[in-house]
Structures are given as C-alpha cells and as structure tokens.
C-alpha cells in the first residue's frame, strides 16, 4: 500500500531546505519536536524570473523528485551567483518554484496548472515520469510554456500537438538502447539468451518491451517477466529464469533499489553469468544495496563525474545535502536549468516563442557535465526535440564504477 | 375446523454437531396467545428465528395461513403478516419513538423506489396513511407522550413496548415476541402483559417466549414447554404445570420426586 | 492446460524445488512475525493497526544505525534495536493507541494517520533512498544441488526462535494466559481480575517487538527505507484475514500459506499470477468464510 | 430554519457557485473549482454506501471503469462523448450489480478488506491489460467532451452541472422513504429486515447508484485530465474519498461535501510543506478519529450548541462565564 493520500500536493524549495536542515540537526542530536522556521525573504533589487520545477515529492518516487529539485536549486544558485541572466536589456535573478507531481497524471496536471496559471511561470523543467509529463504538457503547450520534461513514453514528444513547446531532457532507451546492445553482441559473445525482469509500473512497461525488441533485432533470445511493483522477493522469478537457462540478466526499468536487491538475490541464487542494464543509470545506489554482489555488474551511465564541472557540482551537492547517494536526475535537472538559461540569453528575450527557437538551435552547447549536446528525434518522434548527449557502458570493478565504452552522439 | 394461522411441522435445526431444535411442531390459531417456555439453552430463540426466517431450518415446514413459507426471508414474511421482536436490539436506539414506528411501518409506507424518489401522489398518499397509522399505534400502546423522545432515553419497559410497536406498525396478523419482559420489574412486566392482551384484542395472534413462569401462565391460552431443543409438553397452562417432566426440567429431579 | 502443466514442470527440478522450499520458509517466517503482532492487537484491543508496518520500518532503521554507525556486531545490535524500538513505542501507546482500544473503525482510520506521520517523519529524518544492512554472511551453503544463502538461513533460524519464544510466552506465562483470556472476552477477563490496562501494554510491547524484529530481518535481506513498512503491512493484513482475525494459530497458518504460495506460484507462473492468485484466494475465502480459516464467526 | 431563509440561502449559494469564476481570471482557481465539483460527486456517492453501514475501499475501481469505458468508447470506437459517458457510467453500474450482491453480504472490517482487495485486483487488471488500457502508462491525448471545454471555466460549468445532479440525487434518496429505510438498515440491520425492509436488495440498489455516479465522475475526470493512468484509480484514491467522509462527518451528506472541499483545498493551503504536509494530515486524521469521530459536522454542531446554550444577557456575568466553559 502506498502511503500517498493526496489528491494533489505542492512544495516550495524553502521548506524542503528547511526540512533538510532539520533532518541534519535531528540526525546530529536528540530528536526534538518539529521546528518551524520562517524563511527569510531576500530583498530583490533586480527583476525575478521564476523557473518552475515538477517531480514527485511524496510516495515511492520521492528520491527522484528530490534529486530533480536539488539539481535545479543548485543550478539556480550558480546562475544567480554569476549575476543572473540578462535578456532584453534586463538582468533577472532566477527563482525556483517546485511542486509535487505525485508521479501521476492527475498530480502532474494539477501542479502544471498551478505553475502556469497561478504563478504565471513560462519555463518549466520536469515532470520526472511519463504519466505526469503527458498530463503536464497538455497544460503547458496550449499556454505556450516551455517544458523540458523527462518521461520515457514516446507520446511525450510524438503526439498530435500542432505547435509544441516541450522538449525532452535526456536520452531514452530508444536512443541509447540499440548502439549498446550492438556492442554487447560484439563484445560479450557467449550471451545468447537474456532474462529481462521489470516492474509493471509506468517506467517498466514503457521501457522493457521496446528494449526486448531491440535485443531480438540483434539476434538475442529474450524472456520477459513483469512483476507487481512493491515486490521485494525476486528469488522465485530469478529461479524461473535460471531454470530456462538464461545467460544474462537485464534490469532496465527497475528502480535502483529494486535492481540492487535483484542483483543480490541473483548472486545468492547461484547465478554466475553477466548481469547488466541498458538504462537506469543510478549505479551508486545499486552498489549500496547489492554490496559485494555488485561486482561485475554492467550498466548504462550518462554522467561522467570526472568532467570538470561535474566534479564541482558533486562537491557543491555534498556540501549542501550531505554525502548521500547522488541520483543522476540531479545533474540532469541541473543541466536542464542551464539549457533554459542559455536559450533565454541567446534569444535576448523572455518571450517563449523566441526562446523556443533559440532552444531549438542550441546544438553544441556544453557546460562541462555531458560534453556537447544536440537535438535529435526527427525520425523517431517527428520532431527534433530529444536531447542527445554522450553516454557510457560501465562496469563495477572493486566497488567502483569503471567506464568500459563511451558512446558519443 | 379452519386452517390454523401458523402451523409448524417437525422443525429442526443443527449447528454443526449441535441439535439446537428437534422435531418441533405446534399450531397457533387466530387471536390466540401461545407461550413458549423453557430453561436457558432450550432452543426457544432458535425456534423463533427459524419461524421468522432469520435462520433457515435444516428440516421441517412452516405454514402461514395454509401456505408453505419455510425458509422465506423475514422481509417477505412481514409482507405475509408475520412479524417478530428481538430480545436485545428491540428498537432503533438513536431515533425518536415516532421515527421508530415509521420505520416499522415500512411495509405500508414504501411505494417503490421511483415513486418515492419523485414523490409521486401515490407516495404522498402512502405517507399520509402511515403518519395516521403511526399515530394510531402510539395512541393504542400509550406511547403518545413519548412520541418525540429518543428511544434510548426511555425506561426499559417502555422500550420493550416500543419494540412491540415497531412490529405492530407493520399491521401483522401474528407477532412473535422474544422475551418481552426479560430484565423488567414486576410492575413493568404487568404493563407489558396488559399490552399483549390489548394486541390480541385487535385480532392479532401472539407467540411469546419467556422463562418467567408466572408471566406466561397468566397470559397465555396455551403453553409449549421446551428443553434441549425438544418439546416437553404442550397444552393449557394448568395442565402443563402439573406435568412431571416439566417440573423435573424446571426444578430438578429431586424436587419432582418430593412432590410425588 | 498443457501450458499450465509445462509450467509446473520447473518445480520438478530438484535445485529449484529446494530453493522454493527454503524461500517459502523465510518468506513465511517474516510474514508470520508481522502478522502475529497485528492479530494480537486486534484480538485483544480490537485495534486494526494500519501503522504496524511502520514499526517494522523503525526496527529496521534501529538495526541499520546500530550496525552501520556504531559498528555493533549484529548479534547485539539486533536484540538491542528491537527491544529499544518496542520500549520507545510505549510512548506512542500512551499518546495514540490507547484512544482506540475497543474502537475498531476509528482505529483503522486514526492509525492510518499515524502511519502517514511515521512514514513522512521517516522521510524527513532519513531521506528516501534505500540503504543496505551488511549481510551477516556472504557465504552459501550447498546441500547437493541446492544453494542456501547463509544470510537467509540465519534469518529463518532467528524468526523460528522468536516464534517459539512467543509460543512459550503465550502458553506458559501468567501474562500470556491473561492475554489469551483477554483475547477471548475482555469483559469476562476483567471480572476474573485481569488488569486490562496492564495486559494492553504487555500485548502492545510484544506486538511491536515482533514487528520490529520482522522489520530488522526484512531490512537485513532486502533493504531499508522509510517506505519499508508498506509491503509487510499489506502482507500481514492478508495473512491475518486468511487465518482469521485475532487467531494466533491462524496467523501462523496464513503466513505459511502465503509465503509458500508466493514462492511456488511465483516460480512456476511469474509474479503477476502470484499476486492475482493470493488476492483472488483471499477474496473467495472472504465471501464463503469471512472469519478466516481458523477464526470464529462473530455475531 | 424557516422555509424562507432556506430558500434565500439556497439562491445565494447557487448564485455564488455560478458567478465566482467570473470574479477571477486565475485559471488555476477554476481548475481547483473543477476538482472540487468532480470530487464532490465521488465523495457524496460514497457517502450513500457509507450510510448503509458499509465503508467501501474500491470506489476508485468504479471510477476506473467509468473512465476507461468512456475513453475507450470515444477514442477506439469514435463515438461522441455523451455516449462514452453513458457507457462508462453503465459499465460501473454493471460491475456494481455483479459484485454488489456478493460483497454486500459482508459487513464491517470484512467489507473494508474485500473491497480493498477488489480495488487492487481491478487496478492490477488495468496494469496487466496493456493492449486495451495502455497498462501503467495509460492512455493520453484524451479528447475533451467538446472543444469548448478546453477552457477550464467552461469545464467548471460542466462539472458543476453534473455535481449538482449527483449531489441532488444523493440528497433526494437520503431524504426519501428509501433513505429512511437506509437509516433503519444502518441502525439495526436485523430489526430493519424484520420490519419488512429487503435489506440486501436495498443495499445493492444503493451500491449500484453510488458506483454509477463514481463511474460518471471517472469519465468526467479522464476527459478533463486528458490523460488517464491506473495511478489515478489506486486504493489511495478510494481511501481519500473515505477520509473526506470521515473528516467531514459520516452522519450527513454535508459531511461528505465539506470533506471534499477540505481535502481538495488543504494541500493548497499547506502548499510548501511537502513532507510536513503529510505529517500534519496524518495528525488531523488521528485527532479526528480519536477525539471527534463525528468529524467537522459534529464539531460545528457542538459549537452551535455551545453558542445557543449561552444564557441571556440579564444573567449575572459570573454565570455567563461559567456557561461558556
């Protein structure tokens, strides 16, 4: 049973910060009562440009939403520290307004309605998942609001909207799947049969079937099994696959926590073959859960923490939010804010029509996290609104993630 | 001889291994008061439940006015003129006396779902009739002065009378009373007894269950004595009281011997 | 039908069968632990504890912090954490639970509120990502072709030990006897001189103890997060209904049934089938025998 | 209240409901208005079931039947929205007629449980049936009932009309002799049956009507959101509807309506307190059930009783102070 009980919910970042501070102090000392602190309002000399953010802040997807919110928050701090952004002769300080999308269509719509129509926000990064993304763009597009969404469902880009204002923030498995699978076929030659385990939630269902098709196209035999989300005991499913003599397991579409558990249980069940995931890049969390069982695990990955800006970002994150695991949504949403800011600067205007065309022509933009990025997607979705950046196939060696193959767009 | 109003034939009920009621047979004529008496656990309440359709008998037959009504649901039996009261939950505790009786008069009141939804003339007419009928029942049972009192606030004895009133509001031909005087004072018991006599005067037959010997013998035309689910004796109160088996069941074997 | 039989064939493989059984036992043991406390609270206080899973969560976090931050060996950390959580929870008994004794409906909704408070309090305190309690042992035991992770084996042994201790407690101690009397009929127990307020506290302590232990073991073999309690709660609820609400042997039987169903059906037919089947069976059972397999009907 | 003041209040309420969207151009407020109207349909229809003494935890499953029935009729068969709405409502009613006679024999916690499980089974069936329902990702690009309803203000009036119909129907049923029988069933099922009320049949009728209204709400919600996915019909949504009734007060239809307004507005009022918001909400649930199980309605009644119990001004000040305690 999920414990979300809202028809809709909302958040602003101040309180998230506050609660985070609270968390730290609680962790440090005795558990006291809940302390309410009024957030102080800075006196603003410049004009303010609000940037909207959407992601789940309650329920099972909370860690994704928090990562998105923190990434955006760090980006806005960095941009403001650098003097804000200048467009049309005015300098704007950025301000984040982040709402909970509940990871559902209804929540996504409600949150988007509020951002667009009450807060009059023109630039949104998010939502994180397909159902809220699909609902949110039905609000943002008619209002000519630019939205950089996530959400793997092709419909986020491929739909009947005549004049869309939404883009997708990073690669989906339609982009990175085929090249990596081709590489697997060429490099890991003794793998013939692959067992694919995915949850029957929105992510799993959107990801697993196309992925299975991609594997089949490369000549692999695939066994696909969906499980009810919330399952923690995967051993029966693993045994079933092992009895069918799979050579490798594939985890894409699972939350990192579940993937870590599966990895642990696969090794405990005595499976010695390869385990990998073409997608779902949160390797740190998988290693945390699976422990020593994660050795040799291979994964898709799109953040190169060795890049100069990425290193700084990681330090800034740890200084502010502690040394916990960093979800890849954090740099992705950080990057999204920068993308939006760059487009506004280049358009030299805050009119969304102009910003949209500037954004469309942003190919080659590089802030030092991903290397240069570009828009693709004409063949797949009919529009060039799918961001494409470098990505990797990595392997866990000695508890560390080691890149074994780099793919550049 | 006319057909009896209520006729029970060889009624039996088993709960798992327990024989709650076995081969029970009796008849009730129009305007008759039949008492069913027996020690605790004799199966008296089960006997009422079986007849009123609250539980289904394992075997045996129930005839109402010559018609086989075995196993019919309580609300169907109400349509045929058989109502009952309960030992514990006799009234709708949170409602007024008037409301209690109006609920009891459901059979007269309810004109069908659509009719009540649209408040058709038929529905209005039914309502007017019920209001009059409820007033009449209150008058008859002496409940008028409590009309707007909440049932749970009334003295226990009045609640028992109200419980009967709920049954009588449905205009029955026979009413089954399950321990109507349990827990009442002697004075209240007499009041209930008089009320039951009033009911009979209205032409309604009564089956009354109790273990209060004095109350039953005072009131009833005939008495049926039960023990361990079976009939022990049946007949006029005086004859039954003289029956050795009954004395044994009630007062113990030793007492019966001493009397002999 | 052929498809059906061919799927069952998997179970004939001795390696698979052995593992299915080991899994069935460990799943059953955890379900029983959670369900026992749940059914105890219901049986004695008529409280439907929808916050039960969160005590498992608290137990898991206590175990996590003691092993990971304080580096206590798990053999000390486990009992210390579990008893600590159960003792600390007596505050909640005083603040929250006592208002709901003998008020079934109110307890359902009110404790759902407590459930939310605990989960989101946990999110504030611990963030949402999942954590891992280091395995007690990485080794596996080979019995013929059957592979048994030692980690799992330890969990099974602890769970069985706790269940036996619980059995002895309920059968052979004065408090246990009083609890059984109270579970049958509170009013009668009271007239017989049972101090119900005391019994409620003991029952609450024991129930939370079992939940916290189940949570710790759950966290040990799976993972720890503020949302940990949701699944155990649902399972406990189903187990208890299956076995009969308030019935202790019923909880044991229900837990074993559900654990083995999940293991066997999950292996032969996949997870979705296993979920549909357990729900379907419980629905059918509710229709025909709402008081559960070993419960008694209420009037 | 006299007949005249009652009518005055009614007219005033009607005017406010119709006019307020024109007092603001904030589309978000209009959106909240739509949500309140649609939620009121669900809450008041569930209230009907609760009034027969059954707390159903699968109301969202019937909303799902309404939503998918309607959307599939419109999108796959190409039929107009009114037919979709009818099909959706009918599908929900049919489902209720099928399971009602079975589940309504159970009472109390058993009913709560079986409906919870049933709701889960429906949700799982939607998730598994990817070909028909789009699985977890659901169906998107759902067309509005008519292009003019792309405007939120227009949709508000559509939702208002249906809400008035649904709430009016519920109020009418509760106020009729049928409602009297429902109260009798709730207060004493066996006694009601022995007074001639066909208990099961009446419960099934109530269940069918309530679930059909839930289906109607589901259909309207889907065509408003333009996206539908199983998340919108999970047990949490059903639970929300129960909570609305509980917080508002289960003794009267007003409770359901107040609860609906409260539950839609509360997150807005607490905006910004994301996780703390859930904690506060949990605390409200706990406090309501522990100390005020009659909900807001009962609280209001008590306050009113307290006010009317105020002694008249001629009483000595000390006595007045005492009475206010």
């Amino acid at each position: 049973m999920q414990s979300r009980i809202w028809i809709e919910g909302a958040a602003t970042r101040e309180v998230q910060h506050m609660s985070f501070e609270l968390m730290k102090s609680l962790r440090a000392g005795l558990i006291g009562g809940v302390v309410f602190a009024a957030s102080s309002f800075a006196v603003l000399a410049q004009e303010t440009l609000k940037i909207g953010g959407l992601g789940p802040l309650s329920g099972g997807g909370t860690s994704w939403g928090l990562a998105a919110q923190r990434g955006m928050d760090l980006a806005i701090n960095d941009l403001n520290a650098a003097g804000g952004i200048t467009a049309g002769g005015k300098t704007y300080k950025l301000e984040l307004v982040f709402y909970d999308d509940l990871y559902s269509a209804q929540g996504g719509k409600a949150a988007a309605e509020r951002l667009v129509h009450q807060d009059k926000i023109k630039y949104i990064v998010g939502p994180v998942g397909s159902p809220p993304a699909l609902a949110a763009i039905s609000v943002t597009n008619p209002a000519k609001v630019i939205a950089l969404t996530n959400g793997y469902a092709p419909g986020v880009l491929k739909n009947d909207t005549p004049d869309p204002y939404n883009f997708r923030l990073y690669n989906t498995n339609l982009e990175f799947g085929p090249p990596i699978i081709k590489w697997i076929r060429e490099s890991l030659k003794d793998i013939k049969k692959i067992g694919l385990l995915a949850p029957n939630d929105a992510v799993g269902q959107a990801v697993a079937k196309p992925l299975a098709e991609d594997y089949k196209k490369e000549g692999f035999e695939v066994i696909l099994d969906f499980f009810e989300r919330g399952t923690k005991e995967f051993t029966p499913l693993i045994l079933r696959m092992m009895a069918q003599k799979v050579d490798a397991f594939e985890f894409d579409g699972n939350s990192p926590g579940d993937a870590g558990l599966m990895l642990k249980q696969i090794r405990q069940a005595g499976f010695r073959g390869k385990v990998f995931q073409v997608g779902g890049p949160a390797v740190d969390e998988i290693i945390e859960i699976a422990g020593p069982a994660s050795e040799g695990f291979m994964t898709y990955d799109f953040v190169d923490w060795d890049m100069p800006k990425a290193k700084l970002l990681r330090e800034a994150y740890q200084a502010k939010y502690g040394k916990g695991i960093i979800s890849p949504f954090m740099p992705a949403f950080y990057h999204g804010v920068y993308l939006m800011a760059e487009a506004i600067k280049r358009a030299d205007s805050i009119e969304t029509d102009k910003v949209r065309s500037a954004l469309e022509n942003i190919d080659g933009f590089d802030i030092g996290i991903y290397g240069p990025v570009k828009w693709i997607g004409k063949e797949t979705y009919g529009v060039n609104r799918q961001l494409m950046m470098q990505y990797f196939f990595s392997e866990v060696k000695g508890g560390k993630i080691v890149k074994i193959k780099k793919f550049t767009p | 001889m006319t057909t009896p109003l209520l006729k029970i034939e060889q009624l039996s009920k088993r709960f798992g291994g327990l024989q709650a009621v076995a081969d029970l047979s009796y008849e009730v004529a129009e305007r008759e008061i039949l008492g069913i008496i027996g020690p605790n656990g004799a199966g008296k309440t089960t006997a009422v439940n079986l007849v009123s359709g609250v539980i289904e008998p394992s075997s045996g037959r129930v005839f109402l006015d010559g018609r086989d009504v075995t196993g019919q649901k309580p609300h169907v039996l109400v349509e045929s003129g058989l109502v009952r009261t309960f030992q514990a939950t006799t009234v709708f505790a949170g409602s007024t006396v008037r409301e209690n009786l109006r609920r009891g008069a459901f059979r007269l009141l309810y004109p069908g779902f659509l009719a009540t939804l649209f408040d058709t003339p038929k529905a209005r007419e039914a309502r007017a009739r019920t209001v009059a009928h409820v007033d009449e029942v209150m008058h008859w049972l002496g409940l008028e002065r409590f009309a707007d009192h909440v049932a749970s606030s009334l003295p226990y004895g009045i609640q028992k009378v109200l419980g009967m009133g709920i049954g009588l509001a449905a205009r029955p031909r026979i009413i089954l009373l399950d321990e109507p005087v349990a827990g009442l004072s002697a004075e209240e018991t007499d009041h209930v007894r008089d009320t039951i006599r009033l009911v009979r005067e209205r032409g309604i037959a009564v089956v009354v269950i109790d273990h209060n010997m004095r109350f039953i013998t005072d009131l009833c035309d005939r008495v049926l004595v039960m023990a361990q689910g079976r009939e022990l004796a049946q007949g006029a109160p005086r004859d039954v009281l003289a029956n050795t088996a009954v004395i044994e069941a009630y007062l113990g074997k030793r007492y019966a011997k001493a009397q002999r | 039908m052929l498809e059906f039989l061919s799927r069952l064939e998997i179970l004939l493989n001795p390696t698979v069968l052995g593992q299915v059984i080991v899994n069935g036992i460990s799943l059953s043991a955890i379900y029983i632990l959670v369900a026992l406390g749940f059914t105890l609270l219901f049986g004695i206080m008529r409280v439907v504890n929808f916050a039960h899973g969160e005590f498992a969560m608290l137990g898991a976090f206590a175990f996590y912090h003691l092993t990971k931050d304080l580096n206590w060996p798990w053999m000390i950390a486990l009992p210390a954490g579990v008893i600590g959580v159960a003792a600390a929870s007596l505050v909640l008994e005083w603040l929250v639970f006592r208002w709901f004794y003998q008020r079934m409906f109110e307890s359902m909704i009110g404790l759902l509120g407590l459930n939310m408070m605990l989960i989101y309090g946990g999110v504030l305190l611990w963030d949402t990502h999942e954590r891992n309690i280091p395995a007690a042992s990485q080794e596996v035991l080979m019995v013929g072709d059957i592979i048994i992770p030692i980690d799992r084996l330890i969990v099974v042994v602890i769970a069985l030990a706790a269940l036996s201790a619980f059995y002895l407690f309920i059968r052979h101690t004065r408090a246990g006897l009083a609890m059984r009397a109270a579970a049958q009929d509170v009013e009668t127990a009271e007239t017989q001189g049972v101090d119900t307020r005391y019994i409620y506290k003991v029952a609450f302590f024991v129930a939370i103890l079992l939940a916290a232990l189940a949570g710790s073991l759950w966290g040990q073999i799976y993972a720890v997060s503020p949302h940990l309690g949701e699944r155990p709660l649902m399972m406990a609820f189903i187990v208890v209904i299956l076995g009969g609400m308030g019935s202790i042997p019923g909880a044991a039987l229900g837990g074993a049934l559900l654990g083995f169903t999940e293991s066997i059906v999950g292996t032969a037919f996949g997870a979705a089938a296993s979920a549909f089947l357990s729900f379907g069976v419980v629905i059918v059972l509710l229709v025909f025998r709402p008081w559960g397999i070993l419960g008694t009907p209420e009037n | 209240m006299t007949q005249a003041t009652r009518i005055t209040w009614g007219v005033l309420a009607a005017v406010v409901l119709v006019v307020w969207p024109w007092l603001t151009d904030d589309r978000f407020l209009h959106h909240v208005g739509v949500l309140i109207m649609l939620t009121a349909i669900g809450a008041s229809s569930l209230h009907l079931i609760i009034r027969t003494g059954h707390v159903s935890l699968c109301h969202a499953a019937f909303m799902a039947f309404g939503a998918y029935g309607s959307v599939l009729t419109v999108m796959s068969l190409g039929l107009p929205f009114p037919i979709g709405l009818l099909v959706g409502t009918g599908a929900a009613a049919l489902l209720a007629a099928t399971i009602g006679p079975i589940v309504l024999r159970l009472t109390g916690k058993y009913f709560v449980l079986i409906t919870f499980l049933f709701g889960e089974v429906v949700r799982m069936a939607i998730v598994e049936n990817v070909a028909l329902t789009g699985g977890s990702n659901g169906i998107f690009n759902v067309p509005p009932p008519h292009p003019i309803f792309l405007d939120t203000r227009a949709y508000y009036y559509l939702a208002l009309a249906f809400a008035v119909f649904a709430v009016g129907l519920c109020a009418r049923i509760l106020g009729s002799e049928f409602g009297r029988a429902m109260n009798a069933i709730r207060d004493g099922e066996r006694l009601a049956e022995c007074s001639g009320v066909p208990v099961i049949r009446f419960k099934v009728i109530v269940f069918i009507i309530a679930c059909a209204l839930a289906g109607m709400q589901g259909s309207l919600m889907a065509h408003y959101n333009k996206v539908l996915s199983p998340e919108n019909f999970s047990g949490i949504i059903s639970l929300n509807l129960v909570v609305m009734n509980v917080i508002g007060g289960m003794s009267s239809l007003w409770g359901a309506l107040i609860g609906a307004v409260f539950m839609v507005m509360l997150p807005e009022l607490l905006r910004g307190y994301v996780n703390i918001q859930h904690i506060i909400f949990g605390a409200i649930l706990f406090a309501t059930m522990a100390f005020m199980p009659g909900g807001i309605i009962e609280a209001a009644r008590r306050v009113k009783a307290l006010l009317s119990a105020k002694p008249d001004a001629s009483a000595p000040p000390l006595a007045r102070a005492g009475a206010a305690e």
Side-chain angles (χ1 to χ4, degrees), chain A residues 81-349:
Chain A
I85 53 174
T86 312
K90 281 186 195 157
T91 303
Y92 296 92
K93 274 260 186 224
L94 300 181
E95 188 189 319
L96 176 63
V97 181
F98 197 99
Y99 292 147
D100 187 359
D101 67 18
L102 300 174
Y103 207 85
S104 79
Q106 207 144 305
K109 182 177 170 88
E113 288 274 3
R114 186 155 47 204
L115 285 179
V116 171
H117 295 292
Q118 197 171 52
D119 301 320
K120 310 284 180 211
I121 283 172
K122 294 286 178 198
Y123 304 96
I124 294 173
V125 188
V128 170
S130 300
L134 288 164
I137 59 170
S138 78
V139 177
T140 56
N141 277 335
K144 303 195 173 186
V145 168
I146 296 182
L148 296 178
T149 71
N150 169 28
Y152 274 20
V156 172
L157 293 179
K158 191 179 183 176
N159 53 41
D160 303 329
T161 316
D163 189 21
Y165 282 74
N166 66 306
F167 298 77
R168 188 151 50 200
L169 199 50
Y170 47 82
N171 310 337
T172 76
N173 59 340
L174 291 185
E175 282 78 51
F176 60 70
I180 297 181
I181 291 169
K182 187 155 173 273
W183 179 86
I184 291 174
R185 181 174 54 78
E186 286 160 1
S187 314
L188 308 169
K189 287 195 172 20
D190 43 354
I191 296 174
K192 303 272 179 285
K193 197 170 185 178
I194 294 173
L196 223 155
L197 280 172
N200 61 7
D201 63 5
V203 182
Q205 286 193 348
V207 159
K209 286 225 167 102
L211 189 70
E213 288 309 310
D214 287 342
Y215 274 112
K216 282 177 193 158
K217 270 183 213 148
E218 287 289 339
F220 289 102
E221 208 181 322
V222 179
I223 304 172
L224 173 58
D225 198 358
F226 286 102
F227 56 86
E228 186 63 22
R229 184 158 138 194
T231 305
K232 295 286 170 199
E233 180 56 76
F234 301 102
T235 317
L237 314 178
I238 291 164
L239 288 178
R240 218 164 89 77
M241 294 233 165
M242 282 170 64
Q244 295 174 73
K245 306 254 179 302
V246 296
D247 304 309
F249 277 95
E250 154 73 71
F251 286 168
D252 187 27
N254 284 286
S255 74
D258 285 353
L261 269 183
M262 284 157 110
L263 193 50
K264 191 161 134 186
Q265 292 173 13
I266 278 176
R267 293 306 180 207
Q268 287 185 338
F271 182 76
R272 297 274 164 263
K274 285 276 178 210
V275 184
F276 44 75
Q277 60 176 7
V278 176
V283 205
D284 286 323
E285 198 165 345
I286 297 177
I287 296 175
E288 154 77 20
I289 299 296
S294 60
E295 194 63 21
F297 178 64
M298 300 167 99
T299 180
Y300 159 79
D301 193 3
F302 68 82
V303 189
D304 182 357
W305 290 110
D306 297 331
M307 302 269 296
K309 180 79 188 201
K311 244 182 202 162
L312 290 175
L313 179 58
R314 170 183 260 183
E315 282 160 17
Y317 180 93
Q318 290 179 337
K320 192 158 184 181
Y321 298 110
K323 302 234 179 232
I325 286 159
I326 300 178
S327 154
F329 282 105
M330 194 279 285
F333 276 67
Y334 182 91
H335 186 258
V337 174
Y338 263 86
L339 210 56
M340 201 82 98
E342 178 70 14
I344 292 171
K345 273 185 217 160
R346 288 191 191 179
D348 200 23
S349 161

Side-chain angles (χ1 to χ4, degrees), chain A residues 16-17 19-25 27-28 66-67 70 73-74 284 305 311-327 330, chain C residues 124-127 129 131:
Chain A
Q16 272 304 317
H17 289 175
S19 55
F20 193 80
E21 292 305 315
L22 179 68
M23 182 188 97
K24 277 205 285 195
S25 67
R27 212 188 253 155
L66 277 180
R70 290 168 183 177
D73 185 57
L74 290 169
D284 286 323
W305 290 110
K311 244 182 202 162
L312 290 175
L313 179 58
R314 170 183 260 183
E315 282 160 17
Y317 180 93
Q318 290 179 337
K320 192 158 184 181
Y321 298 110
K323 302 234 179 232
I325 286 159
I326 300 178
S327 154
M330 194 279 285
Chain C
L124 281 186
L125 209 62
W126 288 298
D127 218 330
H129 66 265
R131 296 141 198 255

Side-chain angles (χ1 to χ4, degrees), chain B residues 34-48:
Chain B
L34 171 73
I36 299 182
I37 194 165
N40 277 333
K44 302 185 301 280
T45 298
T46 310
V48 171

Side-chain angles (χ1 to χ4, degrees), chain C residues 20 62 77 88 96 128-129 162 170 188 222 260 266 285-286:
Chain C
V20 164
V96 177
T128 51
H129 66 265
I170 205 97
T188 317
Y222 304 127
F260 275 94
L285 189 84
L286 273 172

Side-chain angles (χ1 to χ4, degrees), chain D residues 218-240:
Chain D
S219 163
L220 290 167
M221 202 63 127
H223 289 272
Y224 176 65
N225 282 338
K226 303 190 187 73
V227 180
L228 83 166
S229 67
E231 278 280 298
N232 293 341
F233 309 107
S234 64
I236 300 303
I237 304 298
S238 302
L239 189 65
N240 266 328

